[in-house]
Amino acid sequence: MSARTILITGGAGFIGSHVVRRFVTRYPQYRIINLDALTYAGNLENLRDVENAANYAFVKCDIRDAEGLKKVFAEHAPDGVIHLAAESHVDRSISDPMAFVNTNVIGTVTLLNVAKKAWAELILNSILERGAAPRFYHVSTDEVYGSLHDDGFFTEETPYDPQSPYSASKAASDHFVRAYGNTYKLPFVLSNCSNNYGSHHFPEKLIPLMINNIRNNKPLPVYGKGENVRDWLWVEDHASAIDTVFHKGVNGETYNIGGHNEWKNIDLVHLLCSIMDKKLGRAEGESAKLITYVTDRAGHDLRYAIDAGKIERELGWRPSITFEEGLERTVDWYLANQAWLEHVTSGDYQRYYTAHYADR
Ligand code: NAD
Ligand code: TYD
C-alpha cells in the first residue's frame, strides 16, 4: 500500500476521533493530519492514546480560514481529505442557524477551494511522486433526505428534502462537493450516514445525555411523545465504513451507511434505563421514573431509516456488532470515564489543549 498523507478535518470530535484513531493505528505507513478548530465539540482528550504516534500530527485551524488551510496544504501536501468538521447538533441549529451556514457551507466551500487549487498546481507533483491520487471525501448525514413516514428507506436516489437548518446546511455542502466534482473535476466520494452512538459522544445528543442523566438521577427529557424513529449505528462501524469508502469507493459516487437498526426514542430510553438499572444496582424500573416528556423540537423529523444495500453489495461493508453489544460497550465506557464527561461539560478540555499542545 502506498504512503499517503491524509488530512482529517473535525478529528477532535465524536466521529472524527474514531476515524483518526483507526487510520493512525491501522495504517502506520500513512501520515494523518488532524485539523480541527476545537469548538465546544472538539476535544483532544479523545485522542490521548494516539497523540504521540509517529504518523500523527494535530493542527488547530478553522475550515473557514483559507490562509490557514493553504499553509497546511503547502506544509503537509495531503493527497486525501476526509472532511468531518461541522456544526452537528440539530437543536443548536434551530437557535443559531448562521453558525451552521458559516461552518458547514462556507467552511466546506473554503476547504474545497484550497484543495482544488493545491491539487491542481501546488502539490500535485509531490503527490504523484508518492504514487497516490488526490481524493476529497465528504462525510454527510442521512438527514439531508428529510423525514420518512412509517415505511420506506433512504437510498442514494432519494431526493434531498432537508427540514432543519442543520440538515439544510449539510445538504448545501453535499451539493457544493458534487458541483466541484462536475465543474472542476475534483475527485470526490461522499457518504450519508444514520445516527451514530458510542464512546466520546458529546452529552448534548440523545444517548450520552440519557446515560449521564440516569447516572445523576436527573430528568430524562423526551421530546414530544417519544415516537420519533432513528436508525442507530455504532460509531466504530461508521469509522470502518469511512475507511472502506475512502479506499474502495468509486470517484463521484455516494454511499449510504446505516445499521438496519431503527428505534423509537421512547423505546430506546426505556432500554437504556433498564441497562443502567442493572449496572448501577438499582431496582428494575427505577431509572425509568426519571422519564419526562417535554415540548417537542420545532419541525422534528419523524423517522430516518437507511437502505445500506449499495455499500454492502459494492464494497462489502457491514456493521460488525449488534445494537445490544454496542450499547452495553457504550454504557460501560461512560461509567468508566466520569472524568472525560466532567471535562467536556466544564470546558476543561480547552485547558488540556493549552497544557499539551500550545507549544507544538
Ligand atoms: P461533532 O460535533 O462531535 O464534532 C465536530 C468537530 O468539528 C469538532 O471537533 C469541532 O471542533 C470541529 N469543528 C467545528 N467547526 C469547525 C470549524 N469551523 N473548523 C474546524 N473544525 C471545526 O460532530 P460528529 O457527530 O463527530 O460529526 C462529524 C461529521 O459527521 C459531521 O460532518 C456530521 O454532519 C456527520 N455525521 C454525524 C452523525 C452523527 O450521528 N453524529 C451522523 C452522520 C453524519
Ligand atoms: P439527537 O441525538 O439530537 O440526533 P438527531 O436529532 O440528529 O437525530 O436526537 C436523536 C433523537 O432524540 C431525536 O428524535 C430528538 C430526540 N431527543 C430527545 O427526545 N431528547 C433529547 O434531549 C435529545 C437531545 C434528543
Side-chain angles (χ1 to χ4, degrees):
M1 205 175 278
S2 60
R4 304 194 64 164
T5 298
I6 301 171
L7 182 72
I8 299 180
T9 72
F14 166 48
I15 301 171
S17 63
H18 285 279
V19 176
V20 166
R21 177 175 301 101
R22 183 180 176 96
F23 275 72
V24 166
T25 53
R26 283 177 78 101
Y27 303 110
Q29 72 279 29
Y30 290 1
R31 288 181 61 233
I32 304 302
I33 316 296
N34 171 16
L35 182 147
D36 198 295
L38 298 182
T39 68
Y40 79 94
N43 179 1
L44 287 171
E45 274 187 78
N46 293 350
L47 291 164
R48 190 176 286 193
D49 52 333
V50 295
E51 69 186 5
N52 293 319
N55 63 338
Y56 170 75
F58 172 72
V59 183
K60 187 167 193 265
C61 181
D62 194 303
I63 55 167
R64 294 164 297 175
D65 172 8
E67 292 311 312
L69 291 176
K70 279 183 205 160
K71 278 194 204 127
V72 172
F73 272 75
E75 184 182 343
H76 296 284
D79 51 86
V81 172
I82 305 181
H83 176 38
L84 296 110
E87 289 291 342
S88 69
H89 189 41
V90 173
D91 292 328
R92 286 180 188 256
S93 83
I94 294 169
S95 51
D96 184 10
M98 277 314 282
F100 286 68
V101 174
N102 282 330
T103 282
N104 298 359
V105 187
I106 296 174
T108 298
V109 179
T110 307
L111 180 64
L112 283 167
N113 275 336
V114 172
K116 166 171 88 70
K117 196 154 193 299
W119 286 342
E121 304 162 9
L122 206 62
I123 58 172
L124 189 60
N125 286 341
S126 68
I127 292 175
L128 296 178
E129 272 165 27
R130 214 183 285 154
R135 164 162 278 189
F136 190 102
Y137 181 176
H138 182 59
V139 175
S140 192
T141 167
D142 62 351
E143 303 190 26
V144 298
Y145 298 122
S147 180
L148 292 164
H149 294 287
D150 290 341
D151 49 17
F153 297 92
F154 297 134
T155 73
E156 289 79 2
E157 274 71 51
T158 303
Y160 274 32
D161 187 20
Q163 299 290 322
S164 74
Y166 164 64
S167 54
S169 70
K170 289 297 290 187
S173 67
D174 293 10
H175 289 320
F176 271 103
V177 172
R178 294 198 180 96
Y180 272 59
N182 178 60
T183 310
Y184 308 112
K185 308 300 169 218
L186 184 90
F188 78 90
V189 281
L190 203 155
S191 60
N192 298 88
C193 187
S194 61
N195 286 62
N196 285 213
Y197 70 95
S199 70
H200 305 90
H201 203 182
F202 194 79
E204 65 183 352
K205 306 278 173 75
L206 180 75
I207 290 180
L209 179 98
M210 293 298 166
I211 294 173
N212 197 24
N213 285 13
I214 293 170
R215 186 184 30 211
N216 295 321
N217 266 308
K218 283 167 63 180
L220 309 179
V222 173
Y223 296 167
K225 294 184 179 146
E227 307 233 299
N228 305 67
V229 174
R230 297 294 183 262
D231 180 357
W232 293 95
L233 179 68
W234 189 46
V235 63
E236 293 188 37
D237 279 331
H238 189 192
S240 90
I242 288 174
D243 184 345
T244 303
V245 171
F246 183 75
H247 287 104
K248 296 202 217 155
V250 175
N251 274 341
E253 290 290 316
T254 293
Y255 300 89
N256 280 358
I257 304 168
H260 306 289
N261 181 41
E262 294 181 51
W263 283 80
K264 261 189 195 167
N265 290 341
I266 188 63
D267 296 339
L268 173 52
V269 173
H270 273 290
L271 176 60
L272 278 171
C273 287
S274 150
I275 295 174
M276 291 288 283
D277 280 342
K278 289 194 191 80
K279 300 267 177 202
L280 298 173
R282 292 182 187 166
E284 176 69 34
E286 190 64 25
S287 299
K289 292 183 192 152
L290 298 166
I291 291 173
T292 310
Y293 292 94
V294 299
T295 309
D296 208 355
R297 172 186 280 172
H300 196 170
D301 287 341
L302 179 64
R303 174 171 168 258
Y304 306 141
I306 280 277
D307 174 348
K310 178 175 171 180
I311 188 173
E312 292 174 359
R313 275 190 314 276
E314 297 185 8
L315 305 184
W317 172 86
R318 269 184 188 71
S320 70
I321 61 169
T322 63
F323 191 47
E324 288 67 23
E325 206 178 330
L327 261 195
E328 177 102 16
R329 287 190 200 185
T330 303
V331 167
D332 286 343
W333 187 86
Y334 278 94
L335 290 176
N337 286 279
Q338 176 73 32
W340 180 92
L341 259 179
E342 281 165 11
H343 288 177
V344 300
T345 43
S346 70
D348 258 7
Y349 60 87
Q350 295 293 356
R351 285 187 273 287
Y352 182 83
Y353 168 73
T354 312
H356 291 78
Y357 281 87
D359 57 344
R360 288 194 191 186

